[in-house]
Amino acid sequence: MCGIAGFTGEGEPHQLDRMLLRLVHRGPDDAGRHIEPGVALGARRLRVIDLEGGHQPFTNETGTVWVALNGEIYNYRALRDELIRKGHQFTSHCDTEVLVHLYEQEGEEGVRRLRGMFAYALWDRDRHTLLLVRDRFGIKPLYYARRGMSSQGVAFASELPALLAALPQSRIDPAAISQYLTRLYIPGPDTIFQNVAQVGPGEVLRIRDGSIDSWRYDRPEHAMGGTFERHPSAAAERFREVLKDTVQAHLVSDVPLGLFLSGGLDSGALLAAMRQVVTGPIRTFSIGYAAEADRSYDETTAARAVAAHFGTDHCEERLNPDAVQLLPRIVAAMGEPFADASSIPTYLVSQVARRHVTVALSGIGGDELFGGYPRYLGLRAASRYALVPRALRTWIATAIAPRLPESTSSSNRRGRLRRFLRDGHAPIAQQYLAWISFLPPEWNASALTSDLLAATRNVDTSRGFVDLFDAWPSADPSDRAMGLDLQTYLTDDLLRMGDRLSMAHSLELRVPFCDQELLALACRIPTPMRFAGWSLKGFMREALRPWLPASVLDRPKSGFQVPLARWLKEDLRDLVHDLLSDRAVRARGYVKPEYVHWLIRQHESGGRNLSDQLYALVVLELWHQQYESGAFVTTSCVEAASR
């Protein structure tokens, strides 16, 4: 695991040094550089594979091809053996070197052969071409921007703060602010800054003489089609085989490795598969909260039971985090505004795990592949509700839905019913977008200032989501929603969060559910089988009965959570009022002060749980302050100070 950075065109070596300094947390063990006329490549390394021989960047025998890699290539050994048989000479046993010789053998198309999580930069001196490449799911990040005029070249880096070290200036994009306030993250390929973008999942960016073009070597919908075992027992056996193979591939490591364990289905499935292929000790990690008021968010009891069932070397910690001190560190580690509150427990469990291991597995992706969110079942129901005459649905939405009791939680059943009836007269795609929006419907766009609305007047922030929803090759709306989430929420929220907050502690996080073999299987499961018995992950639960105890299979959806609502009322109350004062809100000019007053009043009075919206505004203000002061640009320094 590493952080990579570099640029094309003219530049001084100290510029690359500044970029790499901001990536020390991603690779504290080693640093490497290659600079020649027209290009500079750099890498910070976290030693995971071939501890002594993996210094980057790597080159070929003639010094004409150079590569810097962030990530892991899980099938590198098979590829290495094949390339050796074809006459290529290796100097190491590192997966990065495989990329050099695979490119020599197969050119750009060689990326299709890779199984893993990766973002890499490859320089071809003879063609005077730089390739920037990202894995199929976008597990590993890669940002880029022009350095001014096209003749000045292009800069790239694993994280935004490192990229900014090579740019003359950066301007905030109003459309990104609007997206953030709606989704709690900024959807790729956009970023918080104008003219700064991400390489897309499954994309190859080709940079030559200042020009940029790209092509996609893979898309999630490519996994659609083909046949699937129709007999339930045969289908279940096939799933277990692929899961076991995938987990085994993700265990390749020359350093200690463990698993984040919540006691839920996804992490339980990974642990069961690990036990199928690992005979020795398995290390698992879970966190809980020491405060009595927060015990309802504690998953340690369930995790402990699963760990005991499989005989793991289990580590659990009950924490009493100082939210006021913790929040700025998380904001700095993310590098741009990001308000998924799951970032807090992700940061904490990564901190705990890093004391014992260098690599950890996570269950991220299981919900998107196998149908784990209640909203998917909601869409299946909505497609049937759509058969009700539109006039009747409109009347229910306007006359009945508002009378239902207000939910205090976005996951509450009453809240889901209210939203279902409220939006039932809208097209299916619009219903889904409303369900995954975090702006309260009674305010919606009216929460935003006239200045922000004017700046985004010609930007349809929902259009790209609707297009992805409608383009997914399935007639079933739940399939379309999962296809949308695979390309947005999974990549730009969950995987981004997992990468940044594990790497803030120099921990490599692996996500076996985000594997092309599992994706191919998941996309071919017929929808009725996926939701067997109208149950979330119905197929997956039944398939895992030979491996998992009933306590896991029949347990409601769980995961690492945080008592955010209480914190915002108590621990963070003074910080909230300070950061969201009238003066601060008006100075930013994004949302109306009366909207902020309403949020705080509703939340603190107990009328509604509006923690998501409040947290988003708090994070945005903290990020602005860090950005303007320069504090956010060196995540490694933030983490070093916290240790």
Side-chain angles (χ1 to χ4, degrees), residues 353-489:
R354 186 61 179 95
R355 300 187 192 121
H356 306 273
V357 298
T358 308
V359 178
L361 272 58
S362 165
I364 291 173
D367 288 320
E368 290 75 17
L369 264 67
F370 294 100
Y373 297 127
R375 59 182 183 258
Y376 297 153
L377 290 180
L379 281 182
R380 299 202 75 204
S383 65
R384 289 156 174 75
Y385 185 57
L387 300 176
V388 174
R390 180 179 177 83
L392 179 57
R393 286 183 281 129
T394 301
W395 176 78
I396 291 173
T398 56
I400 302 299
R403 298 180 182 178
L404 293 175
E406 190 64 71
S407 166
T408 58
S409 169
S410 61
S411 62
N412 184 280
R413 290 183 180 180
R414 291 181 301 173
R416 290 200 294 266
L417 177 60
R418 182 187 176 99
R419 292 195 303 275
F420 179 88
L421 296 178
R422 181 197 69 204
D423 304 323
H425 63 293
I428 291 290
Q430 293 296 340
Q431 288 186 53
Y432 191 66
L433 289 187
W435 296 352
I436 60 175
S437 169
F438 287 88
L439 282 176
E442 53 265 67
W443 284 80
N444 206 348
S446 66
L448 309 181
T449 63
S450 57
D451 288 344
L452 184 60
L453 290 173
T456 59
R457 182 175 293 117
N458 298 321
V459 180
D460 186 350
T461 55
S462 67
R463 184 68 260 163
F465 283 76
V466 172
D467 291 344
L468 288 173
F469 185 97
D470 290 340
W472 190 257
S474 171
D476 190 285
S478 61
D479 284 346
R480 291 184 174 187
M482 292 168 65
L484 171 64
D485 287 347
L486 278 171
Q487 299 172 84
T488 55
Y489 178 64

Side-chain angles (χ1 to χ4, degrees), residues 177 180-181 337 590 615-625:
I177 297 292
Y180 165 77
L181 293 172
Y590 298 142
Y615 183 65
L617 292 172
V618 167
V619 166
L620 183 58
E621 179 59 25
L622 274 174
W623 179 86
H624 261 292
Q625 292 183 8

Side-chain angles (χ1 to χ4, degrees), residues 135-148:
D135 65 68
R136 292 167 172 83
F137 283 83
I139 304 169
K140 294 289 100 185
L142 192 53
Y143 296 87
Y144 71 97
R146 292 191 182 276
R147 298 167 59 211

